[in-house]
Amino acid sequence: MAAAYDYEDHPSQPRPPSSGGASGDVVGYDPNFVPDSVKSFVVHLYRHIREKNVYEIHQMYENSFQTLSDRMFKDTPWPSVDAIASYVDNDHVFCLLYREMWFRHLYARLQPTLKQRMDSWDNYCSLFQVVLHGVVNMQLPNQWLWDMVDEFVYQFQSFCQYRAKMKTKTEQEIALLRQFDQAWSVYGVLNYLQALVDKSMIIDILEREKEGLEQFTANDGYDYSGGSNVLRVLGYFSMVGLLRVHCLLGDYHTGLKCLLPIDITQQGVYTTVIGSHIATIYHYGFATMMLRRYVVAIREFNKILLYIYKTKQYHQKSPQYEQILKKNEQMYALLAICLSLCPQTKLVDEIVNSQLREKYGEKMSRMQRYDDEAFALYDELFSYACPKFITPSAPNYDEPLVNYNQDAYRLQLKLFLYEVKQQQLLAGVRTFLKVYSTISLSKLATYMEVDEATLRTILMSYKHKTHTVDAEGKIISNADIDFYIDDDMIHVVDAKPSKRYGDYFLRQIVKLEGVINDMDRIKLE
């Protein structure tokens, strides 16, 4: 499974093989040469940013930048920031934004050098410092602000994976890693994201919105009074960034806690950008799955997969399209895992269920057997669909150099498969409970070929494994079949009682009679 895991997820598009690794290595690349089309691009983008013309900024950012990249910079970087600075009045903030796009393009199309990774970190630090402590009087599209946070976390993940492959490092690279040991540190990344959340006061804004005192979501995060949306929306997306970082670290409780201010059961600013919407639900669903909140995970995966199914044709020309398809496939794999561990097909829409059966129907039936083949399938699906876990700490450079980029992944896989192993006996219990409404302990023990004391232990394990603690600290059930024991008799109950449709119709009849009586009292002239 290492080969499937080793692929590094990029938020925009897969990286094609390139002829050179760095801007200086690309044959024929002149960082100081600015084509007329690029000159026109930066001049117009700068003007639109100064005028706060969000529509035009979005068109240039989403379309023109990609078009120019495909046409002129397929395997070379864009011109350096120094080369274009004179065309934009040497504006400090615009140059920081340009460099952010420059590095993002470099990561997508080429292989960044260690020095470029360090430079990108410095640029993000400078950009976030301006946002946090300066006066930012501009409006930027949500897409761009989301991409900033998304790329920031991606480059952190990429750096940790890069640093963990120590066997291939040269002495110069090791010396540079020692020298710039604070670049892309986990504390630095978390501190910047948390600082953006705190300084933006986004949590208070969302609370005030619930009381009808703010219009943040209604305005999609934009400030129509002439102010700036940059800090507030960066703070908002940073909560999703924190969830993602904590998932990469395997700290699911903290990740979900960071996302609490955003009500993901409702439409929000995170749903205005398809990449943000998918990343939020993917990491939220994965974290809840790892915490055994399978019902919650199934519901959210079902909703986002249905949404992607209905809307993906509108994103075919988007640079995010390949990433949308990849995350779509990964979430189907996670949904297959959740439904195999917690059979709750009633929670899944017919369209999603049909797609799921087409992709994983055969594997899901084999995963129910809990033999070696089933564990291999759980291993395969988890390895394909999990985040690219990282070890954030630097290596001990004085010890023999080894690759440790797979260590965090192997640990999470081991914990997950241990959980799957514990479900093995529970599958047998559930099979019998589905058949009987009442059965004696002795009879069930005979069927399962265990003694009564062992059966009681298994039943207690079933209770424990089918219940978990939700975000509010309440115990919730994942089971579709539940039971209680009374005088050595097991009484089976449906954990999800069927709706009482009769009561609903009776209430509607009473309402209708009231309407008819009101109409009878009206005298027509």
Side-chain angles (χ1 to χ4, degrees):
M1 294 295 90
Y5 170 75
D6 206 38
Y7 175 78
E8 287 190 2
D9 249 349
H10 193 275
S12 58
Q13 57 204 51
R15 181 186 298 117
S18 64
S19 57
S23 59
D25 299 332
V26 180
V27 178
Y29 171 70
D30 180 2
N32 297 313
F33 173 67
V34 183
D36 289 342
S37 53
V38 173
K39 192 185 303 181
S40 174
F41 173 81
V42 295
V43 167
H44 284 88
L45 183 61
Y46 175 57
R47 190 183 77 209
H48 292 317
I49 288 176
R50 286 178 64 88
E51 294 172 353
K52 296 185 180 177
N53 190 334
V54 178
Y55 176 79
E56 290 296 340
I57 297 169
H58 185 268
Q59 292 301 312
M60 294 197 71
Y61 172 79
E62 187 76 348
N63 300 322
S64 305
F65 184 73
Q66 295 301 328
T67 302
L68 285 171
S69 295
D70 290 338
R71 199 172 77 219
M72 306 181 69
F73 306 107
K74 261 192 170 177
D75 52 7
T76 63
W78 273 60
S80 69
V81 69
D82 295 333
I84 63 97
S86 60
Y87 303 119
V88 294
D89 302 332
N90 290 295
D91 186 280
H92 178 59
V93 176
F94 183 87
C95 288
L96 291 173
L97 292 172
Y98 178 84
R99 273 172 66 82
E100 194 270 335
M101 294 166 67
W102 190 94
F103 280 115
R104 183 139 29 98
H105 171 265
L106 179 78
Y107 269 80
R109 306 278 178 153
L110 301 159
Q111 188 68 37
T113 63
L114 177 54
K115 179 67 168 63
Q116 287 167 336
R117 292 174 188 270
M118 304 296 189
D119 290 343
S120 185
W121 164 254
D122 288 341
N123 190 69
Y124 273 116
C125 291
S126 300
L127 182 58
F128 291 153
Q129 288 288 349
V130 169
V131 173
L132 289 167
H133 306 296
V135 178
V136 180
N137 185 26
M138 60 185 177
Q139 294 245 44
L140 293 180
N142 287 343
Q143 177 73 58
W144 194 346
L145 295 170
W146 160 251
D147 286 344
M148 276 186 209
V149 174
D150 191 35
E151 183 75 10
F152 180 61
V153 176
Y154 164 71
Q155 290 189 18
F156 164 64
Q157 168 198 315
S158 175
F159 178 80
C160 290
Q161 291 287 339
Y162 165 85
R163 183 177 57 189
K165 297 173 183 176
M166 291 302 298
K167 278 188 176 180
T168 57
K169 295 288 178 287
T170 64
E171 289 185 13
Q172 288 177 321
E173 287 176 315
I174 292 172
L176 207 56
L177 285 169
R178 284 176 181 268
Q179 182 182 352
F180 297 101
D181 58 338
Q182 293 305 305
W184 295 112
S185 74
V186 66
Y187 297 111
V189 170
L190 290 172
N191 285 342
Y192 270 119
L193 292 173
Q194 190 61 53
L196 288 167
V197 173
D198 295 341
K199 187 69 184 280
S200 66
M201 300 182 70
I202 189 62
I203 296 175
D204 292 338
I205 290 171
L206 293 175
E207 282 298 318
R208 284 165 57 80
E209 188 170 48
K210 291 176 185 175
E211 300 166 13
L213 303 173
E214 286 278 354
Q215 292 287 308
F216 180 75
T217 302
N219 294 334
D220 289 340
Y222 294 108
D223 188 333
Y224 292 109
S225 62
S228 171
N229 69 328
V230 173
L231 177 58
R232 294 196 310 172
V233 177
L234 277 178
Y236 180 91
F237 285 137
S238 289
M239 291 189 285
V240 181
L242 285 167
L243 165 66
R244 183 176 167 191
V245 172
H246 286 298
C247 278
L248 293 174
L249 299 173
D251 186 356
Y252 308 110
H253 280 285
T254 305
L256 292 175
K257 192 175 176 183
C258 292
L259 197 70
L260 269 179
I262 299 177
D263 183 359
I264 66 162
T265 64
Q266 304 292 326
Q267 293 288 309
V269 175
Y270 79 97
T271 61
T272 62
V273 179
I274 184 71
S276 159
H277 193 178
I278 291 174
T280 302
I281 302 304
Y282 167 79
H283 289 96
Y284 178 86
F286 185 83
T288 51
M289 182 191 85
M290 294 298 281
L291 294 173
R292 291 194 293 108
R293 301 175 191 168
Y294 301 119
V295 168
V296 177
I298 291 168
R299 281 202 182 107
E300 293 307 321
F301 284 139
N302 174 65
K303 281 195 292 187
I304 190 67
L305 289 169
L306 187 62
Y307 175 78
I308 294 172
Y309 179 83
K310 291 178 177 178
T311 62
K312 67 181 178 184
Q313 67 268 26
Y314 303 118
H315 300 282
Q316 287 182 354
K317 294 183 180 179
S318 166
Q320 286 85 32
Y321 186 63
E322 289 188 26
Q323 187 65 12
I324 291 169
L325 295 183
K326 180 174 173 59
K327 278 284 173 272
N328 184 66
E329 294 304 310
Q330 286 181 312
M331 287 190 286
Y332 268 113
L334 293 176
L335 181 60
I337 289 173
C338 291
L339 287 171
S340 297
L341 293 173
C342 173
Q344 289 275 19
T345 50
K346 292 178 183 177
L347 300 175
V348 180
D349 186 271
E350 190 177 332
I351 293 173
V352 175
N353 192 45
S354 171
Q355 296 277 310
L356 180 68
R357 294 295 160 189
E358 189 179 312
K359 296 173 189 291
Y360 293 110
E362 184 187 345
K363 287 184 178 181
M364 287 175 70
S365 61
R366 284 188 282 161
M367 286 159 75
Q368 295 295 324
R369 294 205 296 261
Y370 291 93
D371 53 16
D372 288 343
E373 185 186 9
F375 289 124
L377 287 171
Y378 276 108
D379 183 327
E380 176 191 327
L381 293 189
F382 181 88
S383 299
Y384 168 69
C386 69
K388 309 311 174 196
F389 301 108
I390 56 173
T391 302
S393 56
N396 185 340
Y397 298 108
D398 298 323
E399 292 184 357
L401 301 179
V402 294
N403 290 349
Y404 62 96
N405 55 304
Q406 297 277 328
D407 289 2
Y409 153 70
R410 290 195 188 102
L411 175 60
Q412 294 300 318
L413 177 64
K414 179 182 175 183
L415 293 170
F416 169 74
L417 291 178
Y418 180 67
E419 179 64 37
V420 172
K421 191 86 173 173
Q422 291 180 322
Q423 304 267 355
Q424 188 168 15
L425 280 173
L426 306 188
V429 173
R430 186 178 176 281
T431 302
F432 286 111
L433 294 180
K434 287 195 76 172
V435 175
Y436 291 93
S437 56
T438 57
I439 184 173
S440 66
L441 278 168
S442 57
K443 193 173 183 181
L444 183 56
T446 303
Y447 286 156
M448 294 192 64
E449 299 178 353
V450 294
D451 55 52
E452 285 192 34
T454 303
L455 177 61
R456 285 181 181 275
T457 303
I458 294 171
L459 291 173
M460 287 295 290
S461 297
Y462 180 90
K463 280 284 188 184
H464 169 63
K465 289 296 179 185
T466 55
H467 289 75
T468 188
V469 180
D470 68 6
E472 297 172 357
K474 297 176 184 174
I475 295 177
I476 56 173
S477 172
N478 287 316
D480 58 342
I481 298 293
D482 208 349
F483 66 90
Y484 64 91
I485 300 174
D486 183 24
D487 288 336
D488 291 338
M489 287 294 292
I490 302 170
H491 298 265
V492 180
V493 292
D494 225 335
K496 307 288 180 191
S498 57
K499 293 179 180 178
R500 301 174 67 180
Y501 296 105
D503 291 348
Y504 172 80
F505 284 114
L506 285 172
R507 285 196 300 273
Q508 300 306 312
I509 290 169
V510 170
K511 282 184 182 179
L512 179 60
E513 287 177 344
V515 171
I516 292 171
N517 290 336
D518 290 342
M519 291 175 68
D520 287 342
R521 283 196 291 270
I522 298 173
K523 293 180 180 180
L524 298 174
E525 294 182 2

